[in-house]
Amino acid sequence: MERIVYFDNNATTRVAPEVRDAMMPFLGELYGNPSSMHAFGGQVAKHLAKAREDVAAFLNCSPEEIVFTSCATESDNTAIRGTAEYFGHDTKIVTTAVEHPAVLQPCRRLKALGHNVVELPVDHVGQIDLDNLRDELKGTKNALVSVMWANNETGTVFPIEQVAEICREYGAVLHTDAVQVAGKIPVDVKKVPVDMLSMSGHKFHAPKGVGLLYVRKGARLKPFMLGGHQESGRRAGTENVPYIVGLAKACELAASAMRDEAEKLTVLRDRLEAGILAKCPNVRINGDKNHRLPNTLNVSFEYIEGEAIAYHLSDLGICISTGSACASGSLDPSHVIRAMGVPFIAVHGSVRFSLSRYNTEDDVDYVLEKLPPVIRNLRDLSPFGPDSDPTTFK
Ligand SMILES: *Cc1c(COP(=O)(O)O)cnc(C)c1O
């Protein structure tokens, strides 16, 4: 394969060279356990403390409010199951139909265990209705709201500031899955007063296998991982120091470059979007164009299958995805696209392009050269088209 154009950055990103360099000493001579009594471990504890301070500065919180985890899936599970365990069956849980499976599945498990769990619907651009949230919170005693900051499939950004206001008004605890906004748009937990927030290293140029949960001081939840007293008793298990140091470095890089990068990504993404619309007929853009992550483009190519598109582009070195990586492997259309009520002729043909700081205009132009013939060929093979009878679709 000659060339790789990696447009699947909402699934995972390349580790930044600066991040890898920052991690190396901790994969070498600095291997002590930060919890050890001796000075050899103690010097590592100092680096761990520094990483915690840097990450806290990134979120504008205090270092004691950061709990390092193994991934955002763990962070999401900790926030939701830990809060439900603390409050017991009195907890009402309100989430949305378009959350990542790392939020939806624990919520559905709690529902199976007898909790009152509600999934808010979304409209055709993937937005929630804040009045629905208010209605669900009226009269609740212990409510937990888990609403993502931005959607991984469509890039739709939720009005999380208003969600936070409503949660305050009704005394509800608010968790947000902020995996897709970290490094793309500013995240400040003083400006947006969430109680818990999940992030994942590998979605913004740190390695896979490290994440964090921000837990506002005073937030009440039971620990998910039980064992040693690491992370002030909130998450047992020896800290993954090299990766935590890498995560802190990724935060530092993101903080210094975010504004320029967001501008650059918007230009590239819009070039891709405009090119696709100009070159391919029967296409629709999924998501909220007025509130969208700068790097994400979700497109439905009507009458064909997203899997087939991704497969043929893969042969040309172009990496994209259908739905989320976590849902691929099944041929069911994405729960996010379905929740938005995208018409049947378009649901199966949805694909996601997600860019990063390492993409170039050349990458975009390469895709704009290779994609249209792929779409034409698949359409020629498709039994469906604008003239076919919609009632024959199954
Ligand atoms: C990738 C992703 C996750 C899961 O993160 P991991 O660190 O891979 O567990 C959770 N939520 C969203 C929105 C994601 O995009």
Side-chain angles (χ1 to χ4, degrees), residues 10-11 71-73 76 100 102 148 150 152 177 179-180 200 202-203:
N10 286 9
C71 59
T73 299
D76 288 343
H100 189 276
M148 66 200 324
N152 46 302
D177 179 326
V179 171
Q180 290 297 341
S200 177
H202 75 99
K203 301 295 175 81

Side-chain angles (χ1 to χ4, degrees), residues 186-241:
V187 175
D188 180 329
V189 295
K190 294 221 163 65
K191 278 204 190 115
V192 181
V194 299
D195 298 293
M196 293 176 281
L197 176 148
S198 303
M199 268 170 53
S200 177
H202 75 99
K203 301 295 175 81
F204 69 114
H205 307 292
K208 295 153 193 67
V210 65
L212 67 82
L213 181 64
Y214 156 78
V215 182
R216 181 177 297 283
K217 200 183 226 158
R220 289 170 291 176
L221 69 160
K222 296 277 191 190
F224 185 54
M225 298 281 272
L226 303 175
H229 47 70
Q230 293 90 353
E231 300 295 289
S232 310
R234 293 170 299 179
R235 198 278 185 183
T238 303
E239 293 89 349
N240 187 351
V241 179

Side-chain angles (χ1 to χ4, degrees), residues 54-345:
D54 292 348
V55 169
F58 182 72
L59 295 174
N60 196 19
C61 65
S62 71
E64 303 79 59
E65 294 175 311
I66 300 294
V67 178
F68 290 115
T69 63
S70 66
C71 59
T73 299
E74 185 193 324
S75 306
D76 288 343
N77 272 267
T78 302
I80 294 162
R81 305 173 88 173
T83 305
E85 190 183 334
Y86 188 95
F87 290 107
H89 273 83
D90 283 347
T91 338
K92 176 168 183 180
I93 299 165
V94 182
T95 186
T96 80
V98 295
E99 297 296 311
H100 189 276
V103 166
L104 275 182
Q105 294 306 329
C107 287
R108 288 176 184 170
R109 166 59 68 87
L110 289 167
K111 186 169 188 160
L113 294 173
H115 284 265
N116 184 359
V117 179
V118 174
E119 294 174 16
L120 299 174
V122 296
D123 64 14
H124 66 286
V125 296
Q127 282 292 359
I128 45 171
D129 182 341
L130 294 173
D131 285 335
N132 285 342
L133 175 62
R134 279 192 197 92
D135 288 345
E136 293 299 343
L137 292 180
K138 268 179 201 145
T140 55
K141 203 166 71 181
N142 298 311
L144 166 65
V145 174
S146 184
V147 169
M148 66 200 324
W149 198 316
N151 187 271
N152 46 302
E153 293 187 30
T154 60
T156 294
V157 178
F158 278 148
I160 200 74
E161 211 163 335
Q162 285 156 278
V163 169
E165 256 170 49
I166 293 167
C167 287
R168 290 252 152 143
E169 192 182 322
Y170 289 93
V173 176
L174 173 59
H175 164 254
T176 188
D177 179 326
V179 171
Q180 290 297 341
V181 293
K184 294 173 192 153
I185 55 180
V187 175
D188 180 329
V189 295
K190 294 221 163 65
K191 278 204 190 115
V192 181
V194 299
D195 298 293
M196 293 176 281
L197 176 148
S198 303
M199 268 170 53
S200 177
H202 75 99
K203 301 295 175 81
F204 69 114
H205 307 292
K208 295 153 193 67
V210 65
L212 67 82
L213 181 64
Y214 156 78
V215 182
R216 181 177 297 283
K217 200 183 226 158
R220 289 170 291 176
L221 69 160
K222 296 277 191 190
F224 185 54
M225 298 281 272
L226 303 175
H229 47 70
Q230 293 90 353
E231 300 295 289
S232 310
R234 293 170 299 179
R235 198 278 185 183
T238 303
E239 293 89 349
N240 187 351
V241 179
Y243 282 52
I244 290 169
V245 168
L247 178 66
K249 188 71 188 178
C251 287
E252 186 194 316
L253 292 176
S256 66
M258 198 170 333
R259 193 187 300 170
D260 291 348
E261 264 176 25
E263 256 171 46
K264 176 193 138 171
L265 288 170
T266 305
V267 170
L268 290 181
R269 191 270 317 273
D270 290 351
R271 183 183 180 90
L272 180 63
E273 178 176 315
I276 290 173
L277 287 170
K279 292 181 172 196
C280 305
N282 297 96
V283 159
R284 59 173 74 215
I285 308 297
N286 298 314
D288 186 349
K289 287 192 83 168
N290 299 319
H291 304 95
R292 191 164 51 152
L293 292 173
N295 79 318
T296 306
L297 173 62
N298 190 303
V299 185
S300 280
F301 295 91
E302 294 175 353
Y303 310 111
I304 52 180
E305 298 270 353
E307 279 77 14
I309 302 168
Y311 178 81
H312 286 283
L313 289 184
S314 168
D315 277 350
L316 300 163
I318 299 167
C319 311
I320 62 161
S321 73
T322 61
S324 72
C326 314
S328 59
S330 79
L331 278 177
D332 291 340
S334 141
H335 71 287
V336 176
I337 302 299
R338 266 182 304 162
M340 290 162 59
V342 172
F344 184 86
I345 47 156

